[in-house]
Amino acid sequence: MNVLETMKKCIREALPDLDMVMGWEQGFDTLHATPLFMETAEDVDRLILGPTCVQSLAVHLPSLKGKKIGVVVKGCDSRAVVQLLSENLLNRENLVIFGFGCDGVVSLSRLKKKLGALDFIESAEKKDDRLCIEINGEQQDLPFDDICAPKCLTCSRPNAIISDHFAGPQRTPRIPAKGKTALEKFEEKSLPERFDFWKAQMQRCVRCYACRDSCPMCVCRDHCVAVSRNPHFVSQEATASENFMFQLIHVMHLAGRCVSCGECERACPMDIPLGLLRAKSTEVTSALFNQEAGLDQEAVLPLLSFNIEEETIEEHD
Amino acid sequence: MPPSNDLKDGGELRIIGFLCNWCSYSGADAAGVARLEQPTDLRIIRTPCTGRIDPLFILRALINGADGVLVSGCHPGDCHYVEGNFHARRRLETLKRILPISGIDPERFKYTWVSASESGRWQETVREFTAKIHALGPAPRMTDVVSRSKDLSLEGLLLQDENGGA
Ligand code: SF4
Ligand code: SF4
């Protein structure tokens, strides 16, 4: 039995005890997947697993707290589940986790950049380390590394790190390609250059909040401080400075909690490289508190705890 | 006023101070009572505790055009609420280290500890920090108009195409 069939079987068996299981189904063409909310055995037939299953379904879990929910997770998605559990935002007893070993997902932004436009795709299929795609009657065969999500290039945890059912074989983590990361390259720029870069990027932001809404760790929803009038940290004006303030709120609220899933950057319709800010925050909190989010269910949030003597913080007196 | 805040254009800069009520605010008050001369660029906002200072206060001030932000509270271990400044220390240090990625000069933000009896130390802190901010000059503003055309030299970063992700 292949991975998909094994997964479907697991879900069908578990479904009677659950309110719903979340997975993916094909969207309007073979390149786009869309979340699938399975309530009946027939729904399970539509499940797909593969390089188009880009969304992290963990984002829906906190709002479903109280229901009995199943969720299909890739390696990166599973870290969000672990982090949500560690913050007591989910009940483990009400959750059934269906894990599998992920082989990388596509980045529609990178693909679009390669192909110019992404109109209707007749077929898209991953064959070993290539993506074969038929677009406007033309066959294209692209190296997967050129069009996969950036996070997949350096992914060290392709297998769900927490699961009740694991379908198919464990994948071997890939050895990250040599060379500088985007963050390292960005940090070669001077401070004024960085500031101007963000100024230009923030003028492009349309404040759609897709970055926030796709973030599995952004759980405040309607109570988000970015839209509250009291306190009024940021105005609704979509100017560069207000947009930047909003981004930095996201970064600060995610410090020590961000699981590096890349959903914010993927969801951004303006292709703003939001991952740079998150990568920096992760680097900082890992160095300061020697802990990475989403790996340990028992972990305490670093910014909700302290040591009387902080080894990593220079005393200021 | 000593000529320490003599900007070339003659103006003061905008420095925001967030001070805890129990130590640093009293220290600053004592410095005033003792007539310890200080530059006048600093605008002080009194908070109950450094633990009350959300890092967003500092970011908001910097993005709204403050040229510098100074945070000061009780020395670690002396917090009126026992552990407020221990929490603050982690938050402020995290913010300080994240700031450079935004392009905001981390030197424009300083946090320190000054007790109610250290009026001399307060004077020194204000003098030093003000001098530093004057050396850096007015902060660049997000609101300054820049062209909407893309900065080509940074284009390659947009999709992190070479060598992969962040
Ligand atoms: S900030 Fe971005 S990378 Fe971090 S958890 Fe949220 S969506 Fe994922
Ligand atoms: S997803 Fe992009 S455009 Fe939308 S609010 Fe976030 S940064 Fe702005």
Side-chain angles (χ1 to χ4, degrees):
Chain A
M1 232 188 312
N2 69 20
V3 184
L4 180 59
E5 290 312 315
T6 317
M7 184 66 92
K8 284 183 180 170
K9 186 165 167 282
C10 291
I11 295 176
R12 279 197 200 98
E13 282 167 11
L15 202 50
D17 300 323
L18 296 170
D19 291 322
M20 181 218 306
V21 177
M22 295 187 286
W24 303 269
E25 67 177 321
Q26 190 192 307
F28 67 91
D29 68 18
T30 45
L31 190 61
H32 296 80
T34 193
L36 169 66
F37 302 96
M38 295 168 271
E39 288 175 346
T40 64
E42 292 79 71
D43 293 340
V44 183
D45 296 339
R46 308 212 302 274
L47 181 76
I48 59 166
L49 289 179
T52 58
C53 300
V54 292
Q55 302 92 343
S56 168
L57 303 167
V59 70
H60 303 293
L61 290 173
S63 56
L64 294 167
K65 196 179 177 186
K67 294 207 163 128
K68 282 190 122 9
I69 298 291
V71 62
V72 184
V73 291
K74 310 185 284 289
C76 47
D77 308 340
S78 69
R79 282 185 62 186
V81 176
V82 171
Q83 185 62 22
L84 289 167
L85 286 168
S86 80
E87 294 184 27
N88 225 345
L89 293 162
L90 302 177
N91 289 331
R92 185 69 182 92
E93 320 76 78
N94 288 342
L95 191 63
V96 178
I97 305 163
F98 300 89
F100 67 105
C102 171
D103 199 18
V105 292
V106 295
S107 154
L108 294 178
S109 307
R110 288 180 87 199
L111 196 54
K112 193 168 173 186
K113 211 177 164 204
K114 267 242 133 66
L115 300 178
L118 282 185
D119 301 328
F120 191 77
I121 307 289
E122 282 99 65
S123 74
E125 199 191 336
K126 184 168 186 236
K127 290 187 184 140
D128 299 320
D129 53 1
R130 307 191 78 76
L131 187 78
C132 306
I133 147 168
E134 202 181 326
I135 175 167
N136 302 330
E138 227 181 284
Q139 194 69 39
Q140 296 263 4
D141 183 8
L142 303 161
F144 193 67
D145 280 5
D146 288 1
I147 50 87
C148 71
K151 63 178 175 183
C152 302
L153 287 167
T154 52
C155 177
S156 57
R157 294 183 189 86
N159 303 300
I161 61 169
I162 183 175
S163 61
D164 299 295
H165 305 277
F166 194 94
Q170 299 265 339
R171 301 267 178 194
T172 7
R174 44 186 304 158
I175 299 137
K178 283 203 195 68
K180 290 181 189 142
T181 62
L183 175 62
E184 284 163 340
K185 276 195 280 174
F186 186 69
E187 288 190 319
E188 287 167 5
K189 312 279 167 206
S190 69
L191 290 169
E193 280 174 322
R194 295 178 203 176
F195 194 74
D196 285 346
F197 175 78
W198 290 119
K199 190 149 51 169
Q201 293 299 327
M202 287 302 121
Q203 286 190 332
R204 300 172 58 239
C205 168
V206 294
R207 196 90 75 79
C208 60
Y209 296 125
C211 46
R212 176 195 70 182
D213 294 347
S214 64
C215 174
M217 302 317 304
C218 262
V219 291
C220 303
R221 300 293 140 187
D222 291 348
H223 305 283
C224 176
V225 77
V227 294
S228 95
R229 296 294 202 273
N230 184 16
H232 199 184
F233 273 114
V234 53
S235 94
Q236 303 308 104
E237 253 178 280
T239 55
S241 59
E242 293 310 289
N243 296 341
F244 201 36
M245 184 66 206
F246 164 62
Q247 272 314 312
L248 294 173
I249 291 176
H250 196 188
V251 172
M252 277 320 291
H253 282 181
L254 269 289
R257 305 176 61 234
C258 170
V259 292
S260 313
C261 64
E263 281 293 272
C264 44
E265 181 166 309
R266 177 191 67 78
C268 177
M270 303 308 290
D271 281 333
I272 297 173
L274 305 171
L276 288 170
L277 298 167
R278 277 63 178 177
K280 183 64 189 177
S281 138
T282 304
E283 183 191 279
V284 166
T285 52
S286 313
L288 278 174
F289 311 120
N290 190 26
Q291 110 185 30
E292 242 183 286
L295 299 181
D296 177 8
Q297 268 187 78
E298 307 303 321
V300 179
L301 283 178
L303 290 185
L304 287 186
S305 53
F306 62 84
N307 294 323
I308 291 178
E309 302 285 334
E310 298 280 6
E311 278 172 23
T312 47
I313 303 177
E314 212 185 302
E315 268 311 343
H316 279 220
D317 48 14
Chain B
M1 225 6 66
S4 63
N5 59 349
D6 225 341
L7 249 199
K8 276 192 197 73
D9 59 34
E12 281 191 353
L13 291 179
R14 281 148 307 187
I15 304 177
I16 311 293
F18 292 102
L19 269 54
C20 92
N21 178 49
W22 302 99
C23 294
S24 297
Y25 192 86
S26 307
D29 202 23
V33 170
R35 298 187 174 271
L36 301 182
E37 231 172 297
Q38 302 156 48
T40 53
D41 309 51
L42 184 73
R43 276 81 160 162
I44 293 173
I45 296 172
R46 174 157 61 155
T47 68
C49 174
T50 43
R52 173 64 182 90
I53 300 167
D54 191 320
L56 302 185
F57 294 177
I58 298 150
L59 283 166
R60 186 72 265 188
L62 290 168
I63 289 180
N64 268 7
D67 302 304
V69 175
L70 175 65
V71 169
S72 185
C74 308
H75 289 269
D78 293 348
C79 178
H80 186 77
Y81 306 100
V82 185
E83 53 186 48
N85 57 3
F86 289 135
H87 285 290
R89 184 169 55 185
R90 283 197 162 196
R91 293 176 197 144
L92 298 170
E93 184 68 20
T94 302
L95 173 65
K96 176 120 179 136
R97 295 197 192 190
I98 290 176
L99 266 188
I101 196 72
S102 72
I104 297 171
D105 195 331
E107 294 292 309
R108 293 188 184 276
F109 163 52
K110 177 187 169 78
Y111 72 96
T112 189
W113 320 117
V114 173
S115 79
S117 59
E118 295 175 314
S119 47
R121 180 178 156 86
W122 175 252
Q123 178 192 37
E124 204 181 302
T125 302
V126 176
R127 279 191 170 166
E128 261 172 37
F129 189 65
T130 308
K132 183 189 270 168
I133 297 304
H134 277 261
L136 290 171
R141 304 283 286 269
M142 259 288 146
T143 42
D144 292 347
V145 183
V146 289
S147 101
R148 268 184 186 259
S149 66
K150 281 195 204 135
D151 180 351
L152 292 175
S153 63
L154 292 160
E155 172 83 321
L157 283 165
L158 279 182
L159 292 167
Q160 312 186 355
D161 255 341
E162 307 141 62
N163 307 329

